[in-house]
Amino acid sequence: MKNTRKSGTFLSVQGTSLLKITAALSLFMILVFSISGLLTSLKPQYRIMSSSVNQAAMNVNGELLYQLMGWENHHFLKAEHNWATAPKLTSLVFKLSSNINLDDPRSLLGRELPGFFQFDGKILVAGEGTNYTNMPIESSPPIDIMKAEREAALQNLEGLDKPSGDNPSPTPGQTTGDRKVVYVYFTHNRESYLPYLKGVTNPDLAYHSQINVTKIGDQLKTSLEDRGIGTFIDKTDVQGNLNKKGLKYPKSYQESGLLVQEAMTSNRDLQYFIDIHRDALRKDKTTVDINGKSYARLDFIIGGKNPNHEKNAKFATELHELLEKKYKGLSRGVMVKNYANSNSIYNQNLSENAILIEFGGVDNTFEELNRSADALADVFSEYYWQAEKVNQDVDQSTDKQ
């Protein structure tokens, strides 16, 4: 009789537990579907954007990520580790077993969130302070901004009419003469800077048809030609061309590629091709003080889908190293981008001397940008004339043979 009573009590308790589990599971499923429905029904401006998640991920370091995972699997927290040293066996095992890199929070988030791939990339050469939590960000402008239908009023325009800079113009010891050997263009030509857009504080709205990255080309051209290097600046309104053709923003490189190919055909002297952009990161990541003066930092971006991208990367790396010697901290490094559903070629398949450079971020001023243009021209001229000397030596050696 006693055994029967115990058995009945046990079954009753077991039934109650099963009922609770079923109810909890049902409540959880309802909550998941409710949240999913809410997120998908929100207007675009209220939805969680990939850029917001990326910004949050910047504050997650390897140690915190390790501890978060340890809350779910306490075996990870039992392992001894020293975060001040190189990765240990525990970190390696964790990465191999979970395919998550403790030093790169994107490895946890990127596979789960649509659109997060745009922050992906590989750091080939890291500049000062550069890591996988502060990779360059490229944001797409709203359609009405892209079509210049809702442009901001301008401000702080004094002194922007002519190129300026702190470095005195050198007297070129040698020159390319009438030959234009550098071609500068702007795929995202309307990328602008917040200090000049009245009332605009949102980085995603930092676009303008008049005051934008093309002004950097003016300074770069002047500075290169002061050093004897003939330069052609192509200020074609690529975004305007997209609008006329009814093409969307992702077709930008297709459109600018036509310009590069036409330039190469019409001018055989062109040897170097520089596509100037602006990063969407904020000022603390895109600005550096060098000898008491503020500079907009530079990022060299290489398209990994270009089958010969190693040659482009070599060119960019040599410029980065020259900048490190003369303008320590100005370059944020060389990054290779190669992810699905993106261009990741950036017209660099057209020449091994083609590169994309991010000039500063949305908060930088043209005073800072012009200094950086002068610095780039300085090291580029050193690179160019050294390469010319090597080519001349090779030609003379060949002639003697």
Side-chain angles (χ1 to χ4, degrees):
M1 186 74 175
K2 188 181 291 185
N3 290 338
T4 303
R5 189 175 301 164
K6 286 183 178 179
S7 177
T9 302
F10 175 75
L11 290 174
S12 176
V13 171
Q14 191 177 41
T16 302
S17 299
L18 183 60
L19 184 62
K20 288 182 178 180
I21 293 174
T22 303
L25 182 59
S26 300
L27 182 62
F28 175 75
M29 295 300 294
I30 293 173
L31 183 63
V32 169
F33 281 108
S34 298
I35 294 175
S36 300
L38 177 63
L39 291 175
T40 54
S41 63
L42 287 175
K43 294 182 179 181
Q45 59 266 38
Y46 298 121
R47 293 179 187 171
I48 298 175
M49 304 299 291
S50 294
S51 57
S52 302
V53 179
N54 181 74
Q55 189 68 29
M58 289 182 180
N59 299 313
V60 180
N61 57 29
E63 182 176 4
L64 178 58
L65 181 59
Y66 196 98
Q67 291 174 345
L68 289 173
M69 297 301 295
W71 291 350
E72 296 298 323
N73 189 333
H74 297 292
H75 291 289
F76 289 119
L77 298 182
K78 293 179 181 179
E80 294 183 3
H81 48 261
N82 181 1
W83 297 100
T85 60
K88 288 194 172 184
L89 181 60
T90 51
S91 298
L92 179 60
V93 171
F94 183 81
K95 181 178 179 180
L96 292 175
S97 61
S98 65
N99 204 24
I100 294 175
N101 184 352
L102 295 177
D103 296 319
D104 185 1
R106 302 168 310 155
S107 60
L108 173 64
L109 300 173
R111 297 179 182 85
E112 305 302 327
L113 301 176
F116 199 77
F117 68 85
Q118 67 174 310
F119 303 105
D120 201 4
K122 174 184 177 183
I123 299 176
L124 186 63
V125 182
E128 185 176 308
T130 301
N131 55 54
Y132 284 103
T133 67
N134 55 27
M135 293 283 284
I137 299 175
E138 187 155 339
S139 59
S140 299
I143 294 178
D144 54 347
I145 292 293
M146 179 181 166
K147 292 183 177 180
E149 294 176 353
R150 186 167 58 87
E151 287 195 323
L154 297 172
Q155 62 183 5
N156 303 324
L157 302 182
E158 299 81 7
L160 296 186
D161 294 336
K162 57 182 179 180
S164 61
D166 295 327
N167 296 336
S169 299
T171 301
Q174 46 194 336
T175 176
T176 61
D178 295 331
R179 295 186 303 119
K180 304 293 186 182
V181 298
V182 176
Y183 179 82
V184 179
Y185 68 109
F186 313 87
T187 295
H188 295 159
N189 62 289
R190 294 186 182 180
E191 289 180 330
S192 188
Y193 298 88
L194 293 176
Y196 305 98
L197 306 179
K198 190 174 182 178
V200 180
T201 58
N202 183 351
D204 292 337
L205 303 182
Y207 292 83
H208 203 276
S209 63
Q210 302 301 317
I211 300 299
N212 48 50
V213 291
T214 60
K215 293 193 69 63
I216 300 171
D218 296 330
Q219 182 69 30
L220 185 59
K221 173 182 170 67
T222 298
S223 199
L224 284 171
E225 293 191 336
D226 284 343
R227 292 165 173 80
I229 301 175
T231 304
F232 182 83
I233 303 294
D234 191 337
K235 291 189 176 184
T236 298
D237 185 4
V238 175
Q239 303 310 304
N241 287 349
L242 290 179
N243 295 337
K244 293 176 184 177
K245 296 180 179 180
L247 299 176
K248 295 183 178 180
Y249 196 70
K251 295 295 184 181
S252 297
Y253 292 100
Q254 173 183 302
E255 189 65 25
S256 64
L258 298 176
L259 301 176
V260 178
Q261 293 177 64
E262 182 180 349
M264 296 176 74
T265 301
S266 60
N267 183 0
R268 299 293 182 179
D269 291 328
L270 291 174
Q271 302 173 45
Y272 297 91
F273 304 86
I274 302 175
D275 189 5
I276 293 180
H277 290 245
R278 180 266 299 145
D279 203 340
L281 288 173
R282 305 314 296 259
K283 192 160 189 174
D284 62 323
K285 301 292 191 305
T286 64
T287 313
V288 64
D289 184 276
I290 302 175
N291 298 326
K293 295 178 180 179
S294 184
Y295 287 72
R297 301 188 73 184
L298 307 178
D299 289 279
F300 295 93
I301 309 299
I302 302 300
K305 286 186 180 179
N306 169 20
N308 299 313
H309 72 272
E310 291 88 354
K311 295 180 179 179
N312 304 82
K314 181 177 182 296
F315 171 40
T317 300
E318 291 188 26
L319 291 180
H320 164 80
E321 292 172 348
L322 288 172
L323 284 169
E324 281 292 278
K325 292 178 181 177
K326 302 186 73 172
Y327 303 90
K328 181 69 175 177
L330 180 59
S331 172
R332 295 189 69 235
V334 181
M335 290 78 169
V336 177
K337 291 192 174 183
N338 184 1
Y339 45 74
N341 304 318
S342 72
N343 183 276
S344 292
I345 297 177
Y346 313 129
N347 301 321
Q348 293 167 7
N349 58 321
L350 301 176
S351 169
E352 63 187 54
N353 293 324
I355 54 176
L356 186 159
I357 305 178
E358 303 270 5
F359 266 76
V362 291
D363 300 307
N364 286 110
T365 67
F366 281 108
E367 184 179 15
E368 296 164 334
L369 295 160
N370 286 342
R371 289 193 185 110
S372 301
D374 286 342
L376 177 64
D378 184 21
V379 300
F380 181 87
S381 64
E382 183 178 333
Y383 172 88
Y384 177 82
W385 291 119
Q386 179 59 34
E388 285 295 289
K389 183 178 182 302
V390 170
N391 291 336
Q392 290 174 5
D393 291 343
V394 171
D395 291 340
Q396 291 174 3
S397 176
T398 303
D399 291 340
K400 290 179 180 179
Q401 292 178 358

